Amino acid sequence: MGQTEGLRIISATTADREAAMRIAGDAMISYGIEPDFAGLDCDLGALGSNPKAFAELVATMDGVITGVAILTCMADNAGKLTGFYVDPKWRGEGVGSALLARATEAGRAAGLSRLHLETWHFMKAAIHLYERFNWTRGADPPPGSGADRTYDLIL
């Protein structure tokens, strides 16, 4: 893991939205995914004012936004991790680990029983991080969901 001195995980505001969408959009495009901030990626498009989210987090390194994570509510006392992205310049520096840990804490603090996420098989660094944090692979989502894998974490 890299250097985390100067790293802060804070609640997102609408002023963070543009930087978070740039990080997420650049990552999606690098994987051949077209960002859809009004549709499938709407949680990112509403960052800082999303009524569905109970935790909207950004990682900052010396005041620069380096990552984003959003938790929304699902049925059955579960939360969904959406919009989890780290700027490629900061991958391997502890940003993703810190964001994922804080999101997990937020889920526990909200009294949730589990967290769920959807991802793509080619997002190997993220999958490695999830598995390192004891997320377990679930059933594949239906076609058209915007992903091809699911992971769950029992809280």
Side-chain angles (χ1 to χ4, degrees):
M1 188 177 312
Q3 185 83 1
T4 57
E5 187 175 325
L7 176 66
R8 293 182 60 216
I9 308 297
I10 58 175
S11 293
T13 69
T14 55
D16 302 323
R17 186 180 299 159
E18 185 177 321
M21 287 177 17
R22 180 193 44 78
I23 289 168
D26 289 351
M28 287 182 228
I29 290 167
S30 77
Y31 289 114
I33 300 168
E34 184 65 32
D36 181 9
F37 297 120
L40 284 175
D41 308 307
C42 64
D43 290 336
L44 284 160
L47 185 70
S49 62
N50 186 344
K52 300 184 312 181
F54 68 88
E56 296 175 292
L57 306 169
V58 290
T60 66
M61 186 67 79
D62 299 324
V64 176
I65 294 176
T66 57
V68 59
I70 302 165
L71 280 174
T72 60
C73 290
M74 296 174 56
D76 300 325
N77 201 35
K80 184 173 183 180
L81 180 67
T82 66
F84 182 69
Y85 290 94
V86 174
D87 187 317
K89 293 178 280 206
W90 292 99
R91 291 184 191 154
E93 299 295 323
V95 173
S97 293
L99 265 173
L100 193 57
R102 183 65 59 85
T104 301
E105 290 171 16
R108 283 192 182 102
L112 300 178
S113 60
R114 74 179 174 91
L115 296 178
H116 174 81
L117 66 84
E118 296 178 357
T119 191
W120 288 97
H121 71 279
F122 45 76
M123 294 182 169
K124 296 187 185 308
I127 289 170
H128 176 73
L129 181 63
Y130 304 140
E131 291 175 348
R132 191 164 50 88
F133 273 73
N134 297 316
W135 290 68
T136 56
R137 186 162 175 195
D140 291 345
S145 72
D148 66 359
R149 287 190 178 183
T150 67
Y151 282 83
D152 293 285
L153 179 67
I154 303 303
L155 299 178

